[in-house]
Amino acid sequence: MRIAATTTTAKYERLPQPGNPPRRKRAHGSRGPRSSMGARGGELRPGFCPEPLCGARGARGEPLRDGPRVGAGRRKRCSAPEAMMSFEWPWQYSFPPFFTLQPNVDTRQKQLTAWCSLALSYCRLNKLYTMTVAEAQESPLFNNWKLQRKLPLESIIVVLEELRKKGNLEWLDKNKSSFLIMWRRPEEWGKLIYQWVSKNGLTNSVFTLYELSNGDDTENEEFHGLEESMLLRALQALQQEHKAEIITLDDGRGVKFF
């Protein structure tokens, strides 16, 4: 009779090498919470678009177009992040297709409305009144360095023209290279100034333009620091209402309130 020989195979575990910590065993089927980090544990690249946004579509169901990145392959260094941190950007600013004007008419109009609102809010926070197109193009307003997206120059002109149609912008030269942006219209500035005059009993008083915009008495007023070009427009609006008169003084122009 032949007796079948039985053999046992010993199971050995690899001992950790000096300086190398042992690998932790992972239970089968346990994946744990999904991380928002990249595939190798690093941060997501700028320009990353979550699935719901990448699948976004326009008013008629067409996929939204996304333009090229700014400086593809390298990041641009500048002092803009400081301005970006102090301003509460709308959700569209983190949406890559927002930086490409869409061909669909309805989608494009909503996009332009959002851009106009963003431009007025940004200029109001930073008290910007006059800018060149070149300055606007390089500012954080139209240039999202974190997302590496930039609104093209021709699209910026379209947005500025939309602001002009709404009465919030005026070109300062024939070449349309610089503009006056009116996040508050001259009539509204005039109303604020006259409210301050009336509240402090300053009717029949004379002020220089500098005293109004940069004087100590107006330091806590919203019109403090107002550029002279906008200040003059505000005073002209009051002059038409017979509440003020722009006059010439020895050291420049001034205004008398009634």
Side-chain angles (χ1 to χ4, degrees):
M1 178 183 297
R2 298 182 60 182
I3 302 175
T6 60
T7 59
T8 59
T9 304
K11 296 183 178 180
Y12 296 93
E13 291 185 357
R14 179 177 294 179
L15 295 177
Q17 298 298 320
N20 295 329
R23 294 185 178 180
R24 295 179 60 184
K25 291 185 177 180
R26 189 174 183 179
H28 180 69
S30 65
R31 299 186 61 179
R34 181 173 294 180
S35 171
S36 61
M37 307 298 281
R40 298 186 179 180
E43 294 184 0
L44 293 173
R45 297 187 305 275
F48 171 79
C49 177
E51 264 184 28
L53 295 185
C54 287
R57 294 179 177 274
R60 298 183 180 179
E62 77 283 358
L64 298 179
R65 297 183 180 181
D66 184 14
R69 294 185 181 183
V70 175
R74 60 185 181 89
R75 277 182 105 163
K76 185 173 183 178
R77 294 184 179 181
C78 60
S79 59
E82 294 180 3
M84 295 176 70
M85 291 173 61
S86 61
F87 180 69
E88 187 175 349
W89 300 94
W91 67 269
Q92 294 99 324
Y93 193 74
S94 300
F95 186 37
F98 185 54
F99 291 84
T100 302
L101 292 185
Q102 303 300 315
N104 179 272
V105 177
D106 295 335
T107 304
R108 185 187 185 94
Q109 189 56 50
K110 292 178 181 178
Q111 197 176 9
L112 287 175
T113 300
W115 270 117
C116 290
S117 177
L118 173 57
L120 294 174
S121 299
Y122 178 84
C123 292
R124 179 171 186 166
L125 177 72
N126 293 282
K127 289 195 171 184
L128 299 174
Y129 306 98
T130 58
M131 295 179 71
T132 66
V133 174
E135 290 171 344
Q137 187 181 17
E138 294 302 322
S139 74
L141 174 59
F142 297 116
N143 199 340
N144 188 332
W145 283 278
K146 183 178 180 181
L147 197 64
Q148 292 191 3
R149 289 295 188 278
K150 182 176 184 178
L151 193 67
L153 177 60
E154 57 273 16
S155 299
I156 293 176
I157 299 298
V158 173
V159 172
L160 297 180
E161 276 294 325
E162 187 72 12
L163 284 167
R164 184 192 62 80
K165 294 175 184 177
K166 294 175 180 290
N168 296 115
L169 184 140
E170 185 175 309
W171 294 108
L172 296 177
D173 60 335
K174 294 181 180 180
N175 296 326
K176 297 184 178 181
S177 61
S178 61
F179 57 89
L180 172 71
I181 187 162
M182 295 175 279
W183 41 271
R184 192 187 290 279
R185 297 183 182 180
E187 299 81 10
E188 296 171 330
W189 283 119
K191 185 177 180 180
L192 281 178
I193 293 171
Y194 198 77
Q195 284 176 351
W196 173 79
V197 170
S198 301
K199 181 178 65 177
N200 292 280
L202 297 172
T203 52
N204 296 319
S205 300
V206 175
F207 294 89
T208 64
L209 299 187
Y210 181 85
E211 286 174 329
L212 273 181
S213 60
N214 296 286
D216 295 337
D217 294 337
T218 64
E219 189 173 0
N220 296 323
E221 301 300 321
E222 193 172 351
F223 58 84
H224 185 80
L226 190 63
E227 282 193 0
E228 185 173 320
S229 59
M230 182 61 74
L231 177 60
L232 277 172
R233 292 168 187 265
L235 297 176
Q236 287 168 355
L238 288 176
Q239 187 168 255
Q240 291 177 354
E241 297 176 4
H242 307 289
K243 294 180 178 179
E245 180 184 358
I246 301 172
I247 58 178
T248 302
L249 302 174
D250 294 337
D251 54 351
R253 281 180 289 190
V255 59
K256 182 177 181 179
F257 294 102
F258 304 115

